Amino acid sequence: MVNNVVRYGIVGVGNMGTGHLHTLLSGKITGAQLHAVCDVSEARRETLKKEHPDLHVYDSASSLFQSGTVDAVIIATPHYDHPDEAIEAFQAGLHVLVEKPAGVYISQVERMNRAAEATDRKFGIVYNQRMNPLYKKLKELVESGELGEIRRTNWIITNWYRSQAYYDSGTWRATWAGEGGGVLINQCPHQLDLWQWTIGMMPSRMRAFCQFGKHRDIEVENDVTAYVEYPNGATGVFITSTSDAPGTNRLEVCGDRGKVVIEDGNLTFWRLRETETEFNARNKQLFGQPECWTISIPVDGTNPEHAGILQNFTDAVLHDAPLVAPGEEGIRGLTISNAMHLSTWLDDWVEFPLNAALHEAELRKRIAGSKFKPEKADAQAQPADLSGTY
């Protein structure tokens, strides 16, 4: 660092890389400056040089990592590339902030996590929805015991409508070889992370039903229903789709002290005066029910989104502030999506910890038959855009 400022580099200047570029150049992030970028597209590099003559522009991640011009990098390249580039950045002595998802399959993310553990550099992931005050408040209610023991979770997240035109816009889109999956790996990483982060539990087993190319000419999943069981006996359902119109985004978390619902930007808590367990033990009325209060929970502030994650990561590098989204935690949501794929492919239950080798073997079968043809892809529509295509 120079003058107590983190010098950033961006690897991959597609949708999300461009977003991070504008955020850093806006001056909104205290203690951060953008110094360098890299991209495989020559046309994009030439545009960057013209529009931002003060930036160092490189044609590869390796050249940026070895340049000495940056202290930290933001990796915003295709999903498959995240782990290898993060590992190389750590080896170059850099702090790393990686876009979601952490990777495509567990073993590559485990290698990335081990590389992070072997260094004293900061490692974060762009789970910007952890900055959302709605989900922060839910996590607070769970951790404080206000909601009691978790009994059930339900998330319907189907407001991801994507037409065939969207899928036809790039040869890498919705392919096993180009993207590594569909709605679970592209649109839903934030929700899969929040699902486990807010309640503080990973599932113990799962049965999932992914439908591939439902109402769309694609090879990957775009409609998913999954049922999970948790170590404490609680259950959960996760439903997502990219062809529902209009879609829904509703999260319910039920505990033995009531129920929380997050929908339409609101958080509502149906709070029981006593726990359901206590009521049930003393109740003698045939149709008796616990007394329940409906409370609209206020949340503080708005969601700072990506700028919030960038500020938090910068503060971690400069002042050792706790990371809101440690990079090592990216494996959790990815494990859930891998489990949904594997359960469907095997047509059976899968247990946690997940059999990562079996998932990878099944994934490679699908990669081998993928329609992705990188040599025919438009240079301007290469998967450098992929991290930003929600």
Side-chain angles (χ1 to χ4, degrees):
M1 273 74 69
V2 178
N3 298 325
N4 208 34
V5 169
V6 179
R7 300 173 300 163
Y8 276 96
I10 298 175
V11 183
V13 194
N15 282 359
M16 285 314 306
T18 299
H20 293 310
L21 180 148
H22 291 314
T23 300
L24 288 167
L25 291 179
S26 73
K28 295 177 181 177
I29 312 303
T30 303
Q33 289 180 356
L34 181 62
H35 276 241
V37 296
C38 77
D39 200 279
V40 296
S41 166
E42 182 178 359
R44 192 172 292 143
R45 291 197 303 273
E46 291 306 312
T47 298
L48 288 164
K49 290 175 183 178
K50 292 176 182 177
E51 293 181 353
H52 308 287
D54 294 334
L55 294 181
H56 300 278
V57 179
Y58 300 95
D59 61 1
S60 71
S62 296
S63 57
L64 189 158
F65 296 157
Q66 299 300 326
S67 68
T69 60
V70 299
D71 308 302
V73 290
I74 302 169
I75 296 175
T77 49
H79 303 159
Y80 281 106
D81 295 339
H82 291 177
D84 286 342
E85 289 174 340
I87 291 169
E88 186 178 355
F90 285 128
Q91 292 172 342
L94 300 174
H95 303 280
V96 176
L97 179 61
V98 65
E99 261 294 345
K100 61 83 183 168
V104 176
Y105 52 93
I106 292 171
S107 66
Q108 62 169 185
V109 176
E110 288 177 333
R111 288 191 296 106
M112 176 173 65
N113 286 356
R114 287 195 297 270
E117 292 169 3
T119 180
D120 63 351
R121 302 293 86 179
K122 298 296 182 183
F123 178 33
I125 186 167
V126 187
Y127 278 152
N128 52 285
Q129 288 303 309
R130 289 193 182 189
M131 307 296 294
N132 190 320
L134 289 166
Y135 300 112
K136 289 170 66 177
K137 178 60 71 172
L138 172 58
K139 183 175 177 63
E140 177 187 318
L141 291 171
V142 172
E143 290 181 343
S144 68
E146 192 73 24
L147 195 54
E149 183 182 32
I150 301 301
R151 292 187 167 184
R152 186 185 307 278
T153 66
N154 292 284
W155 204 334
I156 302 175
I157 173 69
T158 58
N159 60 344
W160 297 122
Y161 186 79
R162 296 293 185 270
S163 68
Q164 188 64 45
Y166 166 83
Y167 290 116
D168 291 344
S169 66
T171 63
W172 49 270
R173 286 194 192 275
T175 62
W176 293 113
E179 195 167 7
V183 64
L184 295 175
I185 203 76
N186 191 326
Q187 283 82 26
C188 279
H190 291 299
Q191 285 70 37
L192 294 176
D193 171 61
L194 292 171
W195 195 23
Q196 60 82 29
W197 181 70
T198 54
I199 66 170
M201 283 194 296
M202 287 284 286
S204 55
R205 69 173 190 154
M206 172 189 291
R207 183 67 175 96
F209 302 87
C210 297
Q211 299 190 60
F212 305 98
K214 185 176 183 179
H215 308 305
R216 299 290 184 271
D217 183 19
I218 59 175
E219 64 189 43
V220 295
E221 85 288 346
N222 63 328
D223 192 289
V224 180
T225 298
Y227 169 82
V228 301
E229 294 177 354
Y230 295 100
N232 72 339
T235 61
V237 174
F238 189 91
I239 298 172
T240 189
S241 171
T242 61
S243 60
D244 285 11
T248 298
N249 185 357
R250 178 183 175 93
L251 171 62
E252 294 187 8
V253 179
C254 300
D256 74 343
R257 282 210 76 99
K259 176 179 72 175
V260 168
V261 173
I262 296 177
E263 187 174 24
D264 296 330
N266 299 308
L267 188 153
T268 306
F269 183 14
W270 283 267
R271 188 183 189 279
L272 302 184
R273 187 172 184 178
E274 59 186 320
T275 68
E276 188 280 330
T277 302
E278 293 169 339
F279 172 82
N280 186 57
R282 69 169 182 79
N283 176 61
K284 302 301 180 184
Q285 297 180 14
L286 188 61
F287 295 105
Q289 293 189 28
E291 183 178 341
C292 182
W293 307 332
T294 303
I295 305 168
S296 180
I297 302 289
V299 294
D300 297 326
T302 58
N303 185 3
E305 296 279 356
H306 299 87
I309 287 291
L310 276 171
Q311 186 64 69
N312 173 247
F313 189 76
T314 301
D315 292 342
V317 172
L318 292 176
H319 311 299
D320 203 30
L323 285 168
V324 170
E328 293 86 352
E329 295 182 7
I331 200 168
R332 298 177 187 172
L334 179 67
T335 298
I336 296 173
S337 68
N338 282 182
M340 291 179 181
H341 282 150
L342 185 59
S343 175
T344 302
W345 294 335
L346 299 180
D347 194 18
D348 201 356
W349 288 88
V350 294
E351 306 285 334
F352 290 76
L354 190 66
N355 186 333
L358 180 57
H359 168 268
E360 186 176 342
E362 291 293 326
L363 173 63
R364 291 193 182 282
K365 292 178 185 178
R366 286 146 184 89
I367 292 173
S370 177
K371 297 177 182 178
F372 175 50
K373 298 295 187 291
E375 70 276 8
K376 296 180 181 180
D378 184 333
Q380 291 302 312
Q382 284 292 307
D385 287 343
L386 195 128
S387 289
T389 51
Y390 292 151

